[in-house]
C-alpha cells in the first residue's frame, strides 16, 4: 500500500514536487532516524571502544601539575562549598585552583579573600568588568601554572579520583593527541520532577550521543563546559576560546576538530552538577545552548562546503546540526499549520477530518515515542551500569521537553546567532539562580 502511494506520487508529480515530498518525509522521520542512528552508534562503541573507559588511577606513576580553573560571576551561594571540596577532598597532590572572578557584584570577592587566607594553593584573579566566561578563561589560561587545565563550574563537584583518571587518559599511548577529555555528567539536584527528568536527559546525551560520536569518527560536537580537562598547548594553538560566542564549550570542540586533534569522552570520570529546577531557568539555559550551536553552524558551514574532502571528518557533525536546525523550523511551522487546519475543520463541522488528523498525529507521535524510549533505555543501561534505570519513568517528560523546548529555542535564537556572526555578539553572562544544599 505504501509503495503504491509513493509510485503514484512520483508518477503524477513533477520532479520538483517529488523532491519536496522526499524532503518532507526526511524531516518528518528525522527524530526517529536520529534516535536509531545514536542507538546504532552506542552499540558500535560497546563493540570497539568499551575497554577504553576502564582506567585504573592506581597505575598513574607520576602527577603532572594541573590547574583547576573556575570562571565565576556572582556565585556567593555555591563558591565556598565548591572550593572547600576541590581544595581538600581530591585524591591528587600536584595542583592549584585558580578562580577568575568575572566582575562579581555580590559577596563572591569577600568569600574568595577569606578562603585565600586559609588555602595556599588557591589563587584569584579579579576582572573588574563582567565580559563573559570565555574571556575570563582566556585570561586565566595565561596565568595558569599547569600544563593541563580543568574547566570547572562554580557549582560542579568532580569525583575524588577525577584528576587521576583524567591524567590516565592524557598519559596513555593514545593520549599524546588528546586535545581535551570531557567527563560524564551526573545530576546532583534530583529533588524535583524537572531534576529527575534531566537525569534521564543527561544520561541520554552523554550515554548515547558522545559514545556514538566517538565510535563513528572519533569527534565530539561539544565538550562539557562544567568539567573538561584541556591540554594547555592545544588551547593556545586554536587561539583560546571564542569570546563572542554564547557557548564556549561547543565552539572549542569544533575548533579542535578542524585542527585534527582528538577530543575524548571519559564515561568513567563522574562529576556532579546542578541543573535548572524551574521551566524558566531551563528555557534560558536551552536558549543559550541553541544559540551557541547555531553560531558554530553558521561559522563553519561555508568552510566545510568549500573544502569537503579536507574537512570530511566534520561533515557528520555539520549534517546532523543542519538537519536539527531545519527540522526545528519545520516542526513549528507544520505544527502551527496543522493546528490552524484542525480549527478550520472543527468550525466548519468537518468532524471526520478532525478525527483523522488526530489519529494520524498520534500514530506519528507514538513512533517517535518508541524510538526515543529505545534510545533512553539503551543510554540508562550503558551509563553508570544501569543504576539509573529507576528514572525511566521520567522519560516522557524529558521527551516532551526535547520536542517542544529545544526546537523552539533554536527558532527564537536564530536571529541573535546571525547577529553574533556579523560581529555584534557579546560573551557577557548572568549566573543562573543558585540554591544551596539542593541535593535530593
Amino acid at each position: 500500500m505504501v509503495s503504491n502511494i509513493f509510485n503514484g506520487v512520483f508518477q503524477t508529480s513533477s520532479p520538483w514536487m517529488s523532491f519536496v515530498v522526499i524532503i518532507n518525509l526526511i524531516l518528518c522521520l528525522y527524530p526517529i532516524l536520529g534516535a536509531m542512528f545514536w542507538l546504532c552508534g552506542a552499540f558500535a562503541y560497546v563493540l570497539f571502544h568499551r575497554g577504553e573507559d576502564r582506567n585504573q588511577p592506581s597505575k598513574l606513576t607520576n602527577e603532572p601539575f594541573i590547574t583547576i580553573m573556575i570562571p565565576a560571576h556572582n556565585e556567593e551561594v555555591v563558591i565556598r562549598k565548591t572550593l572547600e571540596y576541590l581544595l581538600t577532598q581530591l585524591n591528587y597532590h600536584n595542583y592549584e585552583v585558580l578562580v577568575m572572578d568575572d566582575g562579581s557584584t555580590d559577596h563572591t570577592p569577600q568569600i574568595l579573600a577569606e578562603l585565600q587566607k586559609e588555602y595556599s594553593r588557591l589563587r584569584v584573579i579579579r576582572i573588574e568588568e563582567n565580559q563573559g566566561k570565555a574571556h575570563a578563561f582566556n585570561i586565566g589560561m595565561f596565568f595558569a601554572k599547569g600544563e593541563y587545565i580543568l574547566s570547572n563550574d562554580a557549582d560542579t563537584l568532580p569525583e575524588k579520583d577525577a584528576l587521576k583518571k583524567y591524567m590516565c587518559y592524557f598519559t596513555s599511548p593514545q593520549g599524546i593527541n588528546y586535545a581535551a577529555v570531557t567527563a560524564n555528567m551526573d545530576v546532583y539536584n534530583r529533588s524535583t520532577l524537572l531534576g529527575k527528568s534531566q537525569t534521564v536527559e543527561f544520561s541520554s546525551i552523554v550515554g548515547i550521543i558522545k559514545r556514538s560520536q566517538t565510535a563513528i569518527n572519533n569527534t565530539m560536537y561539544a565538550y562539557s563546559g562544567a568539567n573538561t580537562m584541556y591540554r594547555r598547548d592545544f588551547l593556545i594553538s586554536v587561539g583560546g576560546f571564542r569570546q563572542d560566542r554564547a557557548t564556549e564549550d561547543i565552539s572549542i570542540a569544533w575548533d579542535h576538530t578542524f585542527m585534527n586533534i582528538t577530543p575524548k569522552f571519559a564515561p568513567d570520570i563522574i562529576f556532579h552538577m546542578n541543573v535548572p529546577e524551574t521551566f524558566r531557568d531551563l528555557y534560558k539555559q536551552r536558549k543559550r545552548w541553541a544559540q551557541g550551536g547555531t553560531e558554530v553552524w553558521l561559522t563553519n558551514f561555508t568552510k566545510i562546503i568549500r573544502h569537503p574532502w579536507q574537512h570530511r571528518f566534520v561533515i557528520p557533525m555539520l549534517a546532523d546540526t543542519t538537519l536539527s536546525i531545519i527540522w526545528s523550523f519545520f516542526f513549528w511551522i507544520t505544527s502551527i499549520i496543522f493546528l490552524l487546519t484542525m480549527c478550520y475543520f472543527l468550525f466548519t463541522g468537518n468532524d471526520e477530518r478532525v478525527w483523522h488528523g488526530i489519529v494520524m498525529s498520534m500514530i506519528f507521535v507514538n513512533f517517535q515515542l518508541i524510538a526515543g524510549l529505545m534510545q533512553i533505555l539503551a543510554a540508562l543501561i550503558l551509563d553508570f551500569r544501569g543504576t539509573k534505570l529507576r528514572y525511566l519513568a521520567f522519560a516522557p517528560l524529558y521527551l516532551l521537553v526535547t520536542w517542544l523546548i529545544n526546537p523552539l529555542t533554536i527558532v527564537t535564537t536564530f536571529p541573535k546567532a546571525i547577529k553574533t556572526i556579523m560581529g555584534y555578539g557579546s560573551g557577557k553572562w548572568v549566573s543562573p539562580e543558585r540554591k544551596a544544599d539542593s541535593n535530593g
Side-chain angles (χ1 to χ4, degrees):
M1 181 178 177
V2 175
S3 61
N4 291 336
I5 294 174
F6 277 101
N7 290 334
V9 169
F10 290 117
Q11 289 175 3
T12 59
S13 302
S14 65
W16 170 250
M17 183 60 69
S18 300
F19 175 76
V20 171
V21 170
I22 293 173
I23 294 299
N24 276 272
L25 182 62
I26 292 174
L27 290 173
C28 286
L29 296 177
Y30 170 71
I32 300 173
L33 297 176
M36 294 298 99
F37 179 80
W38 299 127
L39 190 62
C40 292
F43 286 128
Y45 180 89
V46 171
L47 291 174
F48 302 112
H49 296 270
R50 187 65 180 271
E52 298 177 4
D53 56 9
R54 295 176 182 173
N55 282 314
Q56 298 181 19
S58 59
K59 292 185 177 181
L60 187 66
T61 57
N62 66 317
E63 294 187 351
F65 194 80
I66 295 171
T67 295
I68 302 176
M69 192 181 300
I70 305 178
H73 174 68
N74 291 346
E75 300 286 4
E76 64 180 4
V77 175
V78 295
I79 193 68
R80 182 185 295 275
K81 177 181 178 181
T82 300
L83 288 177
E84 288 179 343
Y85 175 87
L86 293 174
L87 290 162
T88 63
Q89 298 299 313
L90 299 181
N91 296 327
Y92 202 86
H93 304 92
N94 200 21
Y95 72 99
E96 66 172 349
V97 178
L98 177 62
V99 179
M100 308 301 300
D101 180 11
D102 190 26
S104 295
T105 56
D106 61 357
H107 291 95
T108 298
Q110 291 89 327
I111 295 172
L112 293 175
E114 293 172 7
L115 292 173
Q116 271 192 290
K117 296 177 182 178
E118 187 175 353
Y119 301 103
S120 60
R121 66 174 61 183
L122 173 62
R123 298 166 61 210
V124 177
I125 296 176
R126 169 72 179 179
I127 302 172
E128 292 301 326
E129 182 182 353
N130 171 21
Q131 297 188 51
K133 183 178 180 180
H135 176 265
F137 208 107
N138 285 340
I139 291 178
M141 183 171 61
F142 291 98
F143 285 90
K145 298 177 181 178
E147 179 186 353
Y148 301 92
I149 298 176
L150 177 66
S151 169
N152 196 95
D153 279 357
D155 64 338
T156 298
L157 304 177
E159 63 168 304
K160 293 183 178 181
D161 283 335
L163 298 187
K164 286 188 175 182
K165 289 183 178 181
Y166 274 121
M167 295 319 305
C168 283
Y169 280 97
F170 279 110
T171 57
S172 68
Q174 301 83 8
I176 191 172
N177 197 44
Y178 287 167
V181 178
T182 193
N184 198 348
M185 293 173 272
D186 182 35
V187 173
Y188 181 71
N189 48 331
R190 305 178 194 170
S191 58
T192 64
L193 182 63
L194 206 54
K196 290 180 172 64
S197 67
Q198 287 176 87
T199 300
V200 175
E201 178 184 20
F202 281 112
S203 288
S204 177
I205 293 172
V206 173
I208 291 293
I209 297 180
K210 282 186 167 57
R211 283 181 172 91
S212 298
Q213 293 163 1
T214 299
I216 293 167
N217 59 356
N218 214 21
T219 57
M220 199 175 299
Y221 293 24
Y223 301 144
S224 169
N227 202 261
T228 293
M229 185 174 286
Y230 299 91
R231 193 187 297 273
R232 186 169 178 267
D233 290 346
F234 284 164
L235 278 179
I236 296 173
S237 63
V238 294
F241 294 91
R242 296 176 183 255
Q243 296 180 181
D244 60 345
R245 297 295 188 261
T247 51
E248 83 293 337
D249 46 358
I250 299 178
S251 61
I252 193 70
W254 282 64
D255 289 342
H256 277 157
T257 301
F258 275 106
M259 287 195 66
N260 200 29
I261 46 183
T262 307
K264 186 65 181 175
F265 171 54
D268 60 315
I269 305 177
I270 311 301
F271 70 90
H272 308 281
M273 61 179 294
N274 280 285
V275 296
E277 295 185 288
T278 66
F279 278 103
R280 176 178 174 272
D281 288 340
L282 180 67
Y283 183 68
K284 288 171 62 177
Q285 180 195 64
R286 299 311 159 93
K287 282 182 66 177
R288 185 175 63 84
W289 290 2
Q291 181 182 335
T294 303
E295 288 169 355
V296 169
W297 179 74
L298 291 170
T299 301
N300 298 298
F301 185 85
T302 55
K303 183 193 303 185
I304 299 172
I305 296 301
R306 288 174 182 173
H307 305 283
W309 179 251
Q310 179 182 349
H311 303 304
R312 58 192 179 278
F313 297 111
V314 194
I315 289 178
M317 297 166 62
L318 180 73
D320 181 64
T321 307
T322 302
L323 283 172
S324 178
I325 292 172
I326 295 175
W327 178 80
S328 297
F329 282 91
F330 174 83
F331 173 81
W332 280 105
I333 291 172
T334 54
S335 296
I336 292 171
I337 293 174
F338 174 78
L339 290 174
L340 291 175
T341 303
M342 290 299 100
C343 288
Y344 171 77
F345 288 144
L346 185 64
F347 287 125
T348 57
N350 197 339
D351 297 336
E352 183 179 357
R353 295 297 297 272
V354 173
W355 173 249
H356 286 167
I358 294 174
V359 170
M360 292 301 295
S361 63
M362 288 299 101
I363 291 174
F364 180 68
V365 167
N366 280 331
F367 275 112
Q368 281 191 315
L369 183 63
I370 292 171
L373 287 174
M374 289 176 63
Q375 175 186 347
I376 292 172
L377 180 61
L380 293 174
I381 292 173
L382 283 175
D383 215 28
F384 300 101
R385 298 180 180 180
T387 57
K388 292 185 179 179
L389 278 170
R390 64 184 183 276
Y391 292 104
L392 184 62
F394 300 96
L397 180 59
Y398 154 65
L399 293 172
L400 180 65
V401 169
T402 301
W403 292 341
L404 296 180
I405 294 184
N406 288 1
L408 179 62
T409 56
I410 290 177
V411 172
T412 54
T413 60
F414 198 84
K416 195 172 182 179
I418 294 176
K419 183 180 177 182
T420 298
I421 299 304
M422 294 176 65
Y424 300 99
S426 172
K428 290 187 177 182
W429 58 332
V430 177
S431 294
E433 182 179 349
R434 307 293 195 190
K435 292 184 180 180
D437 299 322
S438 57
N439 185 18

